[in-house]
Each structure stands twice: as C-alpha cells, then as structure tokens.
Amino acid sequence: MEREYHVCTGCALLCDDIELREEENKTIIDSACRKGVAWIKNCQHPLECTVDAKDATPQDAIEKAAEILKNAKKPLIFGMGNSSLKAQEKAIELAKKTNACIDDTSSFCQGPIVEAILNDKIKSCTLDEVRDKADIIVYWGCDPSNSHPRHLSKFSYFPRGKMRQRGWEEDRTAIAIDVRKSDTAIICEDNFYQIPPKADAEFAMALTEALSGKVPKVTFGIKPKEILELANILKKAEFGVIFAGLGVVYSMHDLSPMENLLEALNKKTDFHLMPMVGQYNMRGFNHLLFDKTGYINRVSFEGENIDHGPQCSVVEVLKEKKADAALIMGSDPLSSLPGSIAANLKEIPTIVIDPCKTFTSQIADVTIPAAVTGVECKGEAIRMDGVEIELKQMKESDKMADADILEKIMEAI
C-alpha cells in the first residue's frame, strides 16, 4: 500500500511528512510534533454558529455578517495567519469592497523582517537549503526547540543534508544569542551568548565591527575577545543562516544593525536570515498583500486609494476607535493585544470566523465556524521561508472553508 503524506499546519514549518493511520478505532498521527498532534486533533471547544449569542444557521450568520460590513463606514479586517492563500486573497478583496483597514499579526511581530526580505534588503534562503548546505546556524532571539519543535531535527541542526553528510557532530555549528539560556541554547553548549534585553542591536553592531577588523566593544559582560571569536566563526561559514525570532524584532528599533551585519558577512562568505514565523500562513498574507499593494500589512482601502502606515495597524485602529465594525479571522486579538486596546472590540459589531472558540468569539456578534485548512479542507500556504506548499485534506468535515465563507459574505453584500 502506497504511503500517503500530509502537511501539518500547526506552525509555519509546514512539515510535509505527516501520516495518519487507524488503529483500534483510533487515529494515530505519525511524525508530527506535540504542537502538530494537538492541531490535527483540532480544538477541544469548536466554535458554534451564532448571531447575537444565539444559535444560527450558517446562512443566517453570513447574511448578518454581510449586513454589518455593508453598513460600516470603516471596518477592520484582521487575522488570516491561519488561513489559506485563497482565503487571504478573498479577505483582501473584501477589504477593497468595503473600504476596510486590513492587517495581520505581522504588524507587531515578524513583519519588519519579511518586508526587508521582499524588498531585497536582507538575503534569505529556503529551509531545504539550510538542511542541505548550512554549516553555521545562529538562533537569535528564538527558541525553536519549543516554538517549532521539529525545526532542529527536520531542517536545521540535526539532519544530514546533501552537503552535510557527516551530521551535526562534525558538519554543523549551532550558535544561540538570547537573553536567557533556552532549551535551544542548551543544545548549542559553549556557543551560547547571553545578552541583556534590548541589547541585540548593540551586539549586532559589535559583530559588524569585529568583521571589519576593529576591536568591538559592548556595554555588557561579553568580552571583546569572545565577540572576535564569534565573528571568526561566522566569517568562515560555507553557508550560514540566522534564524531571527521575536527577541530580535522587539529589541531593535529598526533592522539596520542586522542588515549591516548581513552585508558585512556576505562580503566574506554566504550568509542568510530567516524569520521564525509562528502562524502557518502569516507569510502568505504578507506576500499576497505586497503583490497587490506594495505593502505587507497595515493597509487601508478607500476607493482606488491606498493608505499605509502605523495609523492603519490593528493596534492604532482599535486604540483610536477608527473602526466601526470588525471581522476577525483565525486570530484572537483579545488574548494577544493589550487589554485596554482589544476591549474596544466590545464597542463595535464584531464577526469571528474560526474553527475554535476564543476569547474574541465570546464577545462577537456573529460567529461562523470554519474548517481547519490542511486538516478538514485543502488549500495552499507559504512556509516561513517563502516556499508555497500545497495542503491536502486529512479528514471529512461539514464545516465550510474560510475562503468559501468570505466568498458568500461578499456575494451577500
């Protein structure tokens, strides 16, 4: 019997070697990590279809959602990181049709790095290239051992690659730069550099100085000799990669220190940077919106005009109470945004499209359950490295795909 493999949408690694088999009336999930298994098994509290907190048919909920968006002068559309490319495209179309602000979680996480990559300011690569070629791997401000449990074993440090046949013991060097000794830092052993919070830019500039032949200085406890030794390791790489986590994004006012470091490294060797994206298709939304508007997030449509900037972000739109309705898809701003800002959702009509109950769905005027893409319906997504991946359906479901829900809402407006 031919083995059938599926893609796990539990995180942005989109691992493509997942197998499902039946054993004693139970579905056994092989190869998935703990996050993947939980995701594929689906939520413990599925979202129910409601209008004004009362049970409703999907058609009634869709019609009510369309009514809310049609009557709104400036709706907010937010989320989409856990939606298929088709659904994201429909969300952008809906934003244009309703003159909405549209944004996703990248506006307060990995967005700056993705934007720099798409604008060719930072050199990046694919996960397959990392597995096959990388000999120097830097985990900066991230802990993939916990955030992306199969990252080290499937793509970065432990696997044997085409050019790394001797394995991690001889062919790869792992380095961690972080504010704490994470589980990933423990694996890196002596190649762990602990820096204070907000010191990432200073450390990146010190490494750039070291690569330029200058004596580096920092205001914290790492000695110049240690920085010079690290710079020496980095510049001897045959194929190097920095996996940048939220620690980098939240620490740096802008990415210029990291861009300068990459530029200095690439004068001496072949070095790349990749964002440690969390939601499985956050990067997909960034790519689609960039192709259509030139921006990856924080966009406001007004007829043929496009506005972009912090004033169009979900944080500012809610904080300044600019939106008079909201459509939240595959996200939970009540749990991820500051309470004082997210609470403003309670003051406007809110629609939630999601497979599971969330804090946000509990205050929503309309809730519409959606199938989990890659589990209960098929679709496409863009992996954390920018590679498009096809997602097959794993099991049957009577729930609609999020793309179909958006299509029906647009038809009803």
Side-chain angles (χ1 to χ4, degrees):
M1 183 177 177
E2 186 177 350
R3 302 173 77 170
E4 184 178 12
Y5 295 100
H6 296 272
V7 175
C8 173
T9 51
C11 77
L13 284 179
L14 294 176
C15 296
D16 58 0
D17 56 351
I18 310 304
E19 292 184 273
L20 273 66
R21 55 188 172 86
E22 297 297 324
E23 191 174 288
E24 297 180 357
N25 296 321
K26 290 183 179 180
T27 300
I28 307 299
I29 303 166
D30 290 330
S31 299
C33 69
R34 59 189 184 275
K35 287 183 68 174
V37 169
W39 180 265
I40 293 167
K41 286 184 175 180
N42 213 337
C43 43
Q44 293 181 335
H45 305 288
L47 186 65
E48 297 168 351
C49 196
T50 65
V51 173
D52 297 328
K54 297 178 181 178
D55 290 343
T57 65
Q59 185 59 37
D60 288 342
I62 286 168
E63 289 177 0
K64 182 62 176 179
E67 178 188 325
I68 289 171
L69 294 172
K70 186 177 181 179
N71 293 335
K73 293 180 180 179
K74 179 53 71 174
L76 166 69
I77 299 177
F78 174 74
M80 288 81 68
N82 287 319
S83 301
S84 67
L85 286 174
K86 183 179 178 182
Q88 292 171 345
E89 195 161 12
K90 294 294 180 184
I92 296 170
E93 290 177 18
L94 180 59
K96 288 181 179 178
K97 187 170 185 175
T98 57
N99 290 327
C101 289
I102 187 166
D103 196 15
D104 77 321
T105 56
S106 71
S107 68
F108 52 84
C109 62
Q110 295 284 2
I113 296 177
V114 175
E115 187 171 28
I117 291 170
L118 292 179
N119 283 308
D120 296 323
K121 292 183 178 180
I122 285 179
K123 184 178 179 180
S124 194
C125 60
T126 68
L127 288 168
D128 304 285
E129 288 177 311
V130 172
R131 180 177 55 217
D132 287 338
K133 301 178 183 179
D135 58 332
I136 303 295
I137 303 159
V138 182
Y139 303 102
W140 196 324
C142 62
D143 181 19
S145 295
N146 289 293
S147 63
H148 302 72
R150 297 189 72 202
H151 191 284
L152 277 78
S153 62
K154 183 172 172 61
F155 289 110
S156 59
Y157 185 46
F158 292 115
R160 296 179 188 272
K162 290 179 181 178
M163 297 174 62
R164 302 291 162 223
Q165 284 296 306
R166 291 180 295 178
W168 61 275
E169 301 95 334
E170 298 180 45
D171 267 351
R172 301 193 201 267
T173 299
I175 299 162
I177 302 168
D178 211 336
V179 298
R180 63 183 180 88
K181 195 166 188 177
S182 65
D183 289 332
T184 303
I186 291 171
I187 292 171
C188 297
E189 297 180 329
D190 294 337
N191 292 315
F192 169 51
Y193 297 83
Q194 188 164 3
I195 60 176
K198 299 290 185 181
D200 299 75
E202 184 181 354
F203 194 60
M205 289 188 285
L207 281 171
T208 304
E209 288 180 346
L211 290 166
S212 303
K214 300 176 183 177
V215 178
K217 293 181 181 179
V218 292
T219 58
F220 46 91
I222 298 180
K223 298 176 182 178
K225 181 182 177 182
E226 294 177 87
I227 300 173
L228 287 166
E229 288 172 350
L230 175 57
N232 195 46
I233 293 172
L234 298 180
K235 71 181 182 182
K236 288 183 178 179
E238 293 178 11
F239 188 102
V241 60
I242 297 171
F243 288 105
L246 290 178
V248 173
V249 178
Y250 291 159
S251 173
M252 293 187 178
H253 177 68
D254 63 71
L255 287 178
S256 57
M258 191 62 74
E259 292 172 6
N260 293 337
L261 174 59
L262 264 292
E263 184 180 352
L265 283 168
N266 278 292
K267 288 179 180 178
K268 300 178 181 297
T269 182
D270 188 14
F271 235 93
H272 314 76
L273 185 141
M274 191 182 301
M276 291 294 291
V277 176
Q279 293 179 319
Y280 81 83
N281 202 22
M282 185 202 86
R283 192 156 172 179
F285 175 77
N286 295 153
H287 283 230
L288 284 173
L289 195 64
F290 185 80
D291 289 343
K292 294 178 183 296
T293 68
Y295 307 109
I296 66 163
N297 52 32
R298 303 184 301 179
V299 165
S300 176
F301 292 102
E302 193 66 51
E304 296 299 316
N305 298 319
I306 295 173
D307 190 20
H308 164 74
Q311 71 279 6
C312 303
S313 72
V314 62
V315 172
E316 289 301 315
V317 168
L318 289 177
K319 181 181 177 182
E320 300 300 326
K321 299 184 178 181
K322 296 178 182 178
D324 55 355
L327 169 60
I328 311 298
M329 191 164 74
S331 190
D332 188 14
L334 243 65
S335 68
S336 58
L337 294 180
S340 60
I341 294 173
N344 290 335
L345 279 172
K346 298 177 182 179
E347 300 178 12
I348 58 176
T350 300
I351 306 151
V352 168
I353 300 172
D354 203 289
C356 306
K357 286 182 179 178
T358 63
F359 287 114
T360 308
S361 72
Q362 293 177 36
I363 59 97
D365 298 87
V366 178
T367 62
I368 307 174
V372 179
T373 307
V375 179
E376 298 172 324
C377 65
K378 62 182 181 179
E380 294 82 29
I382 292 181
R383 203 167 58 182
M384 68 159 60
D385 57 353
V387 174
E388 186 170 329
I389 304 291
E390 182 181 354
L391 311 172
K392 294 189 292 185
Q393 184 176 356
M394 293 186 188
K395 54 188 178 184
E396 294 297 323
S397 173
D398 58 358
K399 291 184 284 188
M400 286 188 288
D402 43 12
D404 295 335
I405 294 170
L406 291 178
E407 180 69 37
K408 289 182 179 295
I409 289 174
M410 281 195 287
E411 289 173 356
I413 292 178

